[in-house]
Amino acid sequence: MLKNILLVGVFVVLLGCGRHGNGYDGWDENYVETGTGVTMWLPKKMHTRMYYSSVVEDYAKTCGQSQYLDVNLLPEPQDVYRDDADGVRTYAFCSTFSVHEGRKTKLNSPDVDRTVYHDYIFNVMMNQKGEVLDCDYIYSESTTDSPISNEPFKFPIIIFK
């Protein structure tokens, strides 16, 4: 019993070791990127747009490098926003897609299925006329390895007494 309680305690501690900000997915709500000074608003209840492909990478390039936004980056009714003192409305939303990279072999450990998750978080700033003033984004990537059993599948043997 004590062993189970200790295991649960260790699990809870490990869960708390990630990001621990008060914004989206553990980020700080008013995030400032180290080195570049880019500031982003990352509210906790941000709307996630699912595009199911890496096309969101192209949207991000449009956001950061073009005076015209891709239509897919314009605000949607579900997007959260805040009104700044100077009349600028900042919309925040995110997009996530995953890429399954297949079976990978690791030395001295079981083979794994590898999946890479790509997260893009966008801020679109608009004036009261609905004109886009600016667009910023940040990108993060994480990898998950799921162990693959090399044991052949066997049906369980059930013995009735």
Side-chain angles (χ1 to χ4, degrees), residues 38 40 56-70 73 93 120-125 132-139:
V38 171
M40 297 284 293
V56 71
E57 185 176 349
D58 295 332
Y59 297 161
K61 290 176 184 170
T62 300
C63 169
Q65 301 173 3
S66 173
Q67 63 183 20
Y68 302 103
L69 284 184
D70 188 292
L73 289 178
F93 56 91
Y120 287 86
I121 302 171
F122 296 92
N123 279 178
V124 177
M125 286 65 76
V132 175
L133 303 174
D134 199 4
C135 177
D136 289 322
Y137 75 95
I138 57 174
Y139 167 76

Side-chain angles (χ1 to χ4, degrees), residues 4 9 14 17 27 29 33 41 54 56 62 64-65 73-74 82 87 94-95 107 112 136 139 148 151:
N4 290 340
L14 289 175
C17 289
W27 294 75
E29 186 170 354
E33 193 170 63
W41 177 53
S54 61
V56 71
T62 300
Q65 301 173 3
L73 289 178
L74 293 177
R82 71 175 180 195
C94 59
S95 181
L107 296 176
V112 295
D136 289 322
Y139 167 76
I148 301 171
E151 294 290 321

Side-chain angles (χ1 to χ4, degrees), residues 36-103:
T36 64
V38 171
T39 59
M40 297 284 293
W41 177 53
L42 310 176
K44 189 176 226 40
K45 296 187 180 194
M46 197 179 314
H47 174 231
T48 302
R49 297 185 186 181
M50 300 304 292
Y51 293 111
Y52 303 109
S53 73
S54 61
V55 70
V56 71
E57 185 176 349
D58 295 332
Y59 297 161
K61 290 176 184 170
T62 300
C63 169
Q65 301 173 3
S66 173
Q67 63 183 20
Y68 302 103
L69 284 184
D70 188 292
V71 70
N72 292 297
L73 289 178
L74 293 177
E76 294 181 352
Q78 304 94 328
D79 293 337
V80 295
Y81 64 86
R82 71 175 180 195
D83 289 319
D84 297 333
D86 54 357
V88 174
R89 180 170 280 182
T90 301
Y91 289 88
F93 56 91
C94 59
S95 181
T96 302
F97 68 94
S98 60
V99 178
H100 179 69
E101 291 194 341
R103 187 179 191 122

